[in-house]
Structure formats: C-alpha cells, structure tokens
Amino acid sequence: MEKFRWAYIGSGSIANSTARDIIKGNHRIVSVYSRNIEKARTFADKFGADALNDFDSAVNREDVDGVYIATPHTSHIEYAVRAMKLGKSVLCEKPVGVSLKEVEVAIGTAKSENIYFCEAMWTWFSDVALTVKKWVHSGEIGEIKDVVINYAFPGILMPKTSRVLTPETAGGALLDIGIYPITYCYNLFGIPDKIHCTGKIKNGIDIAETVILEYNGFKCTLNMSLCRLKENCLIKGSRGTVSLPAFFHMASKAILKNEKGSKTFNGKTDYLTEFTRVAEEIRQGKTESDFIPFEATRECMRIMDECRKQMKLVYPFEIK
C-alpha cells in the first residue's frame, strides 16, 4: 500500500515529535505550513516536505490525504474548519478547542462537509488503554471502588514565552495535561454524576488542580500539575486492581491483579500507532473515528468547561 500523505499545520515541538515517529512507518509528510516560514523550512528539510507560508497551498493539493494540526489550542478550530472545507480529512491535536462551543463548530463542520475529523488523543489509539478498558468492563476487578490518576510535568521550568505558560494561547495544566486523565476516566466510566474542581491560578493560567469525578458508588480523583513530576494510575475494584506506572507518556504496561493472580499487558502508546489507525479509518471512508468518537471529544470538553467555571479561569481573549 502506498504511503499515507500528510500536510502538517505547525512545525513546533509536537509536530517534530510526531513526524519523527510516523516516518518510521507507512507515512510521508508532503507539506508543512507555519506562520514562521523559517521554522517551516527547518522542519521541511528534516522530513522531506515542502515548506509553505500559505495555508491553502499546503493543504489543497492532490498529494495530501490528510491534514494534521499541531498549532496552539487557540488556532485549532480555524485551521480545522478551513481544511475540512477544502475537502481534507483532519487529525487535530488535543484539545480540539478551548471550549465546548469551539468543539461543536469543528464537529458541525465535519458533519456538514461529510469529512473525517478526529482529536489526536494518542492514549486511546493504544492497545494498552484499550486493554485496561477491556479488563474493567469485563469485571476482572469486580465493582469499581476508587480511581486515582496523577499526571504532571515540570511546565513551570519551560521558557516564560512557552504557549504552555501563556494565557493568550490558553496555556495551563487543565487543557494541556488535565485532558488526559479526564479522557481516561470518561472512556472507562462515561459522564460523571458530579464534577468538583479546585485549582491554583498564577499569572493567568492554572498551574495545578484536583478534579474529582463522582460516579455511582465510586469517584475518580485526578491530580494535575505543572510543578511536579509524577505519573501513575490505580483503579481499585472489589476483586482486584488495575495499575499503570505511566498511563500517558509512552505508556507500555498495564498490570492486572485479582484473586487469580497477576498478569501484565505490554504494548505501545506511540504516535505511529495513532496516525496509522487514523489513516486506515480515512481510507475506509469513515467520517468519525471509532477510537475517538465525536461524543468523547464533546463530553470531555464539557467536563473541562465545568472545571474552568469552578476555578473561575477565563482567558484574556474571552473577556469582552
């Protein structure tokens, strides 16, 4: 089968990370668009693409099978909508937008244009997370009693100009890293009955928060932070546990313990698997991903909107 051909929108760190991974497989990057043409040229030289400073010229080409959007959150919707209206399937970095209102615009455009659109949530293209879901739903650990997920990275050590630390680009812990544990719980248990969020806001962004999602008979406690390095997941049931030493970052192991003993699933959480499965769905003519359906993207953003509301977190561009 011929290589799947991508147009890249954005040439920053995440674009470079995904590109390094996917070119190991049956993928090719044919074009890259960036407002910074010098960065685009550097990226293009590395990965054999054409560097362009005009969006339409990068996307509206016969040799583009799909468009990958890797810009700051605040520009995702603009580029996704433009690409879909040009008839191109889109894989858009998470979060798709900064609010449910923006997510609805993207999903609405995908439906009206009858074109594939998917949030790039690599966790749920991975067999590691899919195996955890199978274990939990098949009753391997009995009734769920408690869930704790910790996820943090030292974002405060990044340059002050980083989009992660900038209110104007919707930086902060919730949208950058909180989306992962929130999506993890949603994909396992669905919409919670209640949402509680407490956080710490500094310089216009949330640098840490604890989100508690209450379900019938148990709760998920999610601790997210830009200040500390910690990552793990523990799901306790009436008959056993499922644990992941790393539930997100290159997660390669899930451990099941119950009365039968212990077993470990080893797999990959990588960009290549994500892009390959997206490419397969696009080639199959799908307009919605089986791995990340529209409802998952929509409801997880609804949860994050509620968290922002409880923290009173408003970005500068939202103030009228």
Side-chain angles (χ1 to χ4, degrees), residues 104-163:
E104 295 290 11
V105 169
I107 293 173
T109 303
K111 289 181 176 180
S112 65
E113 298 295 326
N114 195 34
I115 198 77
Y116 182 93
F117 175 79
C118 181
E119 183 172 34
M121 180 58 66
W122 71 337
T123 313
W124 287 96
F125 287 94
S126 164
D127 288 329
V128 177
L130 295 173
T131 297
V132 169
K133 188 173 185 176
K134 179 181 176 182
W135 285 345
V136 169
H137 285 193
S138 64
E140 289 278 8
I141 61 172
E143 292 185 11
I144 304 302
K145 296 298 182 182
D146 191 49
V147 178
V148 176
I149 302 179
N150 299 303
Y151 181 37
F153 74 95
I156 58 171
L157 300 181
M158 299 176 76
K160 291 182 179 180
T161 55
S162 167
R163 64 160 187 83

Side-chain angles (χ1 to χ4, degrees), residues 44-320:
D45 288 345
K46 274 195 259 183
F47 301 109
D50 293 334
L52 298 156
N53 60 359
D54 176 71
F55 178 89
D56 285 15
S57 297
V59 170
N60 198 21
R61 300 164 45 135
E62 290 186 4
D63 61 351
V64 168
D65 301 312
V67 176
Y68 171 59
I69 298 172
T71 58
H73 317 323
T74 44
S75 59
H76 284 178
I77 295 302
E78 175 196 350
Y79 291 136
V81 168
R82 288 175 66 182
M84 286 188 281
K85 287 189 174 181
L86 288 171
K88 299 298 184 179
S89 297
V90 171
L91 176 63
C92 181
E93 263 308 325
K94 56 81 205 163
V96 165
V98 300
S99 66
L100 179 59
K101 182 178 179 181
E102 289 197 347
V103 167
E104 295 290 11
V105 169
I107 293 173
T109 303
K111 289 181 176 180
S112 65
E113 298 295 326
N114 195 34
I115 198 77
Y116 182 93
F117 175 79
C118 181
E119 183 172 34
M121 180 58 66
W122 71 337
T123 313
W124 287 96
F125 287 94
S126 164
D127 288 329
V128 177
L130 295 173
T131 297
V132 169
K133 188 173 185 176
K134 179 181 176 182
W135 285 345
V136 169
H137 285 193
S138 64
E140 289 278 8
I141 61 172
E143 292 185 11
I144 304 302
K145 296 298 182 182
D146 191 49
V147 178
V148 176
I149 302 179
N150 299 303
Y151 181 37
F153 74 95
I156 58 171
L157 300 181
M158 299 176 76
K160 291 182 179 180
T161 55
S162 167
R163 64 160 187 83
V164 177
L165 302 179
T166 306
E168 288 77 13
T169 52
L174 183 66
L175 296 189
D176 255 288
I177 63 175
I179 188 172
Y180 288 106
I182 286 171
T183 301
Y184 216 90
C185 286
Y186 171 82
N187 276 314
L188 292 178
F189 311 117
I191 292 293
D193 299 320
K194 293 181 181 178
I195 302 165
H196 306 279
C197 177
T198 56
K200 183 178 181 181
I201 296 175
K202 184 178 180 181
N203 298 326
I205 63 166
D206 55 309
I207 60 171
E209 55 258 321
T210 294
V211 176
I212 298 175
L213 305 179
E214 289 189 17
Y215 294 87
N216 184 21
F218 69 97
K219 69 179 184 297
C220 297
T221 303
L222 316 177
N223 300 303
M224 292 85 79
S225 173
L226 296 180
C227 308
R228 296 172 291 113
L229 263 180
K230 180 188 270 189
E231 181 183 343
N232 51 55
C233 172
L234 179 61
I235 304 168
K236 295 180 180 178
S238 58
R239 293 176 43 218
T241 63
V242 172
S243 61
L244 295 97
F247 85 98
F248 155 71
H249 190 68
M250 306 297 283
S252 60
K253 181 190 298 185
I255 303 163
L256 168 67
K257 294 182 180 180
N258 57 21
E259 69 274 8
K260 300 174 186 177
S262 175
K263 64 180 177 180
T264 299
F265 177 85
N266 293 298
K268 283 185 178 181
T269 299
D270 61 351
Y271 298 118
L272 179 57
T273 300
E274 173 189 21
F275 277 67
T276 297
R277 288 180 166 170
V278 166
E280 288 170 353
E281 290 188 322
I282 293 171
R283 281 176 164 160
Q284 290 165 8
K286 293 181 182 291
T287 56
E288 180 176 358
S289 176
D290 292 335
F291 296 93
I292 313 292
F294 293 152
E295 195 65 8
T297 297
R298 178 186 286 120
E299 295 299 346
C300 290
M301 182 54 73
R302 193 188 305 276
I303 292 170
M304 291 191 290
D305 274 2
E306 177 60 25
C307 290
R308 285 181 55 201
K309 180 180 177 182
Q310 292 185 21
M311 287 190 291
K312 296 181 173 57
L313 177 60
V314 179
Y315 302 117
F317 54 84
E318 296 175 314
I319 299 172
K320 296 180 180 178

